[in-house]
Amino acid sequence: MNEPPETISEMDHDKVLEQASNWLKDGHKVALATVIETWGSAPRPVGSQLAIRDDATFTGSVSGGCIEGDVVTRALDKLDGGAAEVVEYGVSDAKAWEVGLACGGRIRIMIEPVEGNA
Amino acid sequence: MKAEILSELVRARAEKRPVVLATRLSNGFEKLVYQTDTQAEKWLVEAVSEVLRADKGRVQADPDGEDWFLNPFNPPLRLVILGAVHIAQPLSKMAELANYDVTVIDPRTAFASEERFPGVTLVTEWPDEAMEKIDLDTRTAVVTLTHDPKLDDPGLHAALKSPCFYIGALGSRKTHGTRVERLTEAGFSEDEIARIHGPVGLAIGARSPAEIAISIMAQMTERLRT
């Protein structure tokens, strides 16, 4: 069975690392974001991941869609040799409220570029 | 993350080896630690074993006070369905969506056919032989759907002797009553037999095969997560 090449379906959400690895093999630059801690009613559990490609295509999720935009922007900034970074989002933080973690939870996310070639 | 670490992690997942990705948060340094790895530092070996068992990542300080994020990658959950009957079709599809590796066992090849179960692992041996070859571990669920004691019972025997996290058996209360009698005669205790969910599934008034599959998936999820 042939996989549709550019379709990113719900099914792929637990194949985030595999997708990241394939993008790397195709010559793309890739970053990963991972939920490392949560407090309160966080939308996605610890360990949830998002893979971001250099053209801003992404797969997976680290929230219910609330903060992905900000995470993707930060990830893209790291693709040319940036370092890993831990970012905290929550209602107590005015900036985070702007990007919209409206569920009242708080989460810490690690964002890191993948270095080297596959 | 280094590309080599990513490809090793992807390979470990393909080979279904349990592994933990450990990341030092101060500088992003990463390494992979396997369950079988005894070379790593003592605190890490212990922590790796715990997060794999809990199937849940956490941030933990090492003896020097450095914070690490430990992210476990366990092999997929597994569902063994005995009986390639109508309900098994939606159940196997739903279980795949929920990231289970699905195996359907039925010696009746008219039922266990590729046309009826595209992409599913089909085993057409007798259930006792088939079950013997499967490691029914704590990440495995077993559901019997045949209605036929000749086929269902060997599967239930194997499941009851294993630490699998869920056992479900299709059939009415009356059918389950006679099943309990047979299992008691076979030497299983009341507590052991109580592990079986029969009638199978949560009571949501399910009627169609797909609805019954939903009630089974819901009950499996409840047993796994609560």
Side-chain angles (χ1 to χ4, degrees), chain A residues 51-65:
Chain A
I52 304 100
R53 196 166 82 172
D54 46 18
D55 61 357
T57 301
F58 60 90
T59 186
S61 65
V62 288
S63 75

PDB file of all heavy atoms in Angstrom, chain A residues 51-65:
ATOM      1  N   ALA A  51       6.665  17.966  15.843  1.00  0.00           N
ATOM      2  CA  ALA A  51       7.831  18.086  14.976  1.00  0.00           C
ATOM      3  C   ALA A  51       7.559  19.236  14.008  1.00  0.00           C
ATOM      4  O   ALA A  51       6.451  19.356  13.486  1.00  0.00           O
ATOM      5  CB  ALA A  51       8.093  16.796  14.220  1.00  0.00           C
ATOM      6  N   ILE A  52       8.585  20.081  13.810  1.00  0.00           N
ATOM      7  CA  ILE A  52       8.423  21.269  12.970  1.00  0.00           C
ATOM      8  C   ILE A  52       9.451  21.225  11.847  1.00  0.00           C
ATOM      9  O   ILE A  52      10.637  21.014  12.093  1.00  0.00           O
ATOM     10  CB  ILE A  52       8.633  22.565  13.787  1.00  0.00           C
ATOM     11  CG1 ILE A  52       7.682  22.589  14.988  1.00  0.00           C
ATOM     12  CG2 ILE A  52       8.407  23.801  12.917  1.00  0.00           C
ATOM     13  CD1 ILE A  52       8.316  22.195  16.298  1.00  0.00           C
ATOM     14  N   ARG A  53       8.987  21.411  10.622  1.00  0.00           N
ATOM     15  CA  ARG A  53       9.867  21.394   9.453  1.00  0.00           C
ATOM     16  C   ARG A  53      10.209  22.823   9.058  1.00  0.00           C
ATOM     17  O   ARG A  53       9.478  23.756   9.385  1.00  0.00           O
ATOM     18  CB  ARG A  53       9.113  20.682   8.330  1.00  0.00           C
ATOM     19  CG  ARG A  53       9.951  20.226   7.187  1.00  0.00           C
ATOM     20  CD  ARG A  53       9.150  19.258   6.338  1.00  0.00           C
ATOM     21  NE  ARG A  53       8.266  19.959   5.416  1.00  0.00           N
ATOM     22  CZ  ARG A  53       7.569  19.344   4.449  1.00  0.00           C
ATOM     23  NH1 ARG A  53       7.636  18.034   4.321  1.00  0.00           N
ATOM     24  NH2 ARG A  53       6.796  20.020   3.646  1.00  0.00           N
ATOM     25  N   ASP A  54      11.300  22.997   8.287  1.00  0.00           N
ATOM     26  CA  ASP A  54      11.793  24.350   7.959  1.00  0.00           C
ATOM     27  C   ASP A  54      10.801  25.205   7.176  1.00  0.00           C
ATOM     28  O   ASP A  54      10.916  26.424   7.146  1.00  0.00           O
ATOM     29  CB  ASP A  54      13.151  24.274   7.239  1.00  0.00           C
ATOM     30  CG  ASP A  54      13.161  23.233   6.123  1.00  0.00           C
ATOM     31  OD1 ASP A  54      12.071  22.820   5.686  1.00  0.00           O
ATOM     32  OD2 ASP A  54      14.262  22.828   5.701  1.00  0.00           O
ATOM     33  N   ASP A  55       9.776  24.570   6.541  1.00  0.00           N
ATOM     34  CA  ASP A  55       8.777  25.381   5.834  1.00  0.00           C
ATOM     35  C   ASP A  55       7.540  25.622   6.692  1.00  0.00           C
ATOM     36  O   ASP A  55       6.480  25.985   6.176  1.00  0.00           O
ATOM     37  CB  ASP A  55       8.382  24.700   4.523  1.00  0.00           C
ATOM     38  CG  ASP A  55       7.759  23.318   4.753  1.00  0.00           C
ATOM     39  OD1 ASP A  55       7.699  22.881   5.926  1.00  0.00           O
ATOM     40  OD2 ASP A  55       7.337  22.690   3.774  1.00  0.00           O
ATOM     41  N   ALA A  56       7.683  25.411   8.007  1.00  0.00           N
ATOM     42  CA  ALA A  56       6.626  25.639   9.000  1.00  0.00           C
ATOM     43  C   ALA A  56       5.522  24.576   8.981  1.00  0.00           C
ATOM     44  O   ALA A  56       4.533  24.704   9.692  1.00  0.00           O
ATOM     45  CB  ALA A  56       6.009  27.039   8.888  1.00  0.00           C
ATOM     46  N   THR A  57       5.694  23.508   8.191  1.00  0.00           N
ATOM     47  CA  THR A  57       4.795  22.351   8.297  1.00  0.00           C
ATOM     48  C   THR A  57       5.053  21.695   9.647  1.00  0.00           C
ATOM     49  O   THR A  57       6.198  21.610  10.085  1.00  0.00           O
ATOM     50  CB  THR A  57       5.110  21.334   7.186  1.00  0.00           C
ATOM     51  OG1 THR A  57       4.947  21.977   5.936  1.00  0.00           O
ATOM     52  CG2 THR A  57       4.196  20.120   7.254  1.00  0.00           C
ATOM     53  N   PHE A  58       4.004  21.264  10.318  1.00  0.00           N
ATOM     54  CA  PHE A  58       4.250  20.559  11.581  1.00  0.00           C
ATOM     55  C   PHE A  58       3.297  19.389  11.747  1.00  0.00           C
ATOM     56  O   PHE A  58       2.259  19.322  11.100  1.00  0.00           O
ATOM     57  CB  PHE A  58       4.172  21.510  12.787  1.00  0.00           C
ATOM     58  CG  PHE A  58       2.841  22.188  12.959  1.00  0.00           C
ATOM     59  CD1 PHE A  58       1.849  21.599  13.727  1.00  0.00           C
ATOM     60  CD2 PHE A  58       2.595  23.426  12.378  1.00  0.00           C
ATOM     61  CE1 PHE A  58       0.614  22.229  13.905  1.00  0.00           C
ATOM     62  CE2 PHE A  58       1.366  24.059  12.546  1.00  0.00           C
ATOM     63  CZ  PHE A  58       0.378  23.466  13.309  1.00  0.00           C
ATOM     64  N   THR A  59       3.682  18.454  12.625  1.00  0.00           N
ATOM     65  CA  THR A  59       2.829  17.303  12.927  1.00  0.00           C
ATOM     66  C   THR A  59       2.908  17.010  14.413  1.00  0.00           C
ATOM     67  O   THR A  59       3.905  17.323  15.060  1.00  0.00           O
ATOM     68  CB  THR A  59       3.242  16.063  12.100  1.00  0.00           C
ATOM     69  OG1 THR A  59       2.295  15.015  12.322  1.00  0.00           O
ATOM     70  CG2 THR A  59       4.618  15.548  12.497  1.00  0.00           C
ATOM     71  N   GLY A  60       1.835  16.414  14.954  1.00  0.00           N
ATOM     72  CA  GLY A  60       1.777  16.163  16.388  1.00  0.00           C
ATOM     73  C   GLY A  60       1.129  17.333  17.100  1.00  0.00           C
ATOM     74  O   GLY A  60       0.553  18.214  16.462  1.00  0.00           O
ATOM     75  N   SER A  61       1.208  17.354  18.431  1.00  0.00           N
ATOM     76  CA  SER A  61       0.657  18.482  19.180  1.00  0.00           C
ATOM     77  C   SER A  61       1.237  18.527  20.583  1.00  0.00           C
ATOM     78  O   SER A  61       1.593  17.504  21.153  1.00  0.00           O
ATOM     79  CB  SER A  61      -0.868  18.403  19.260  1.00  0.00           C
ATOM     80  OG  SER A  61      -1.268  17.276  20.007  1.00  0.00           O
ATOM     81  N   VAL A  62       1.359  19.748  21.120  1.00  0.00           N
ATOM     82  CA  VAL A  62       1.790  19.921  22.508  1.00  0.00           C
ATOM     83  C   VAL A  62       0.710  20.597  23.339  1.00  0.00           C
ATOM     84  O   VAL A  62       0.837  20.766  24.545  1.00  0.00           O
ATOM     85  CB  VAL A  62       3.103  20.733  22.606  1.00  0.00           C
ATOM     86  CG1 VAL A  62       4.279  19.892  22.114  1.00  0.00           C
ATOM     87  CG2 VAL A  62       3.015  22.039  21.819  1.00  0.00           C
ATOM     88  N   SER A  63      -0.380  21.001  22.676  1.00  0.00           N
ATOM     89  CA  SER A  63      -1.547  21.532  23.390  1.00  0.00           C
ATOM     90  C   SER A  63      -2.728  21.257  22.476  1.00  0.00           C
ATOM     91  O   SER A  63      -2.588  20.648  21.429  1.00  0.00           O
ATOM     92  CB  SER A  63      -1.399  23.028  23.645  1.00  0.00           C
ATOM     93  OG  SER A  63      -1.611  23.768  22.453  1.00  0.00           O
ATOM     94  N   GLY A  64      -3.879  21.714  22.848  1.00  0.00           N
ATOM     95  CA  GLY A  64      -5.035  21.495  21.981  1.00  0.00           C
ATOM     96  C   GLY A  64      -5.066  22.473  20.828  1.00  0.00           C
ATOM     97  O   GLY A  64      -6.108  22.726  20.254  1.00  0.00           O
ATOM     98  N   GLY A  65      -3.917  23.027  20.475  1.00  0.00           N
ATOM     99  CA  GLY A  65      -3.870  24.002  19.395  1.00  0.00           C
ATOM    100  C   GLY A  65      -3.659  25.415  19.916  1.00  0.00           C
ATOM    101  O   GLY A  65      -3.522  26.362  19.139  1.00  0.00           O
TER     102      GLY A  65
END
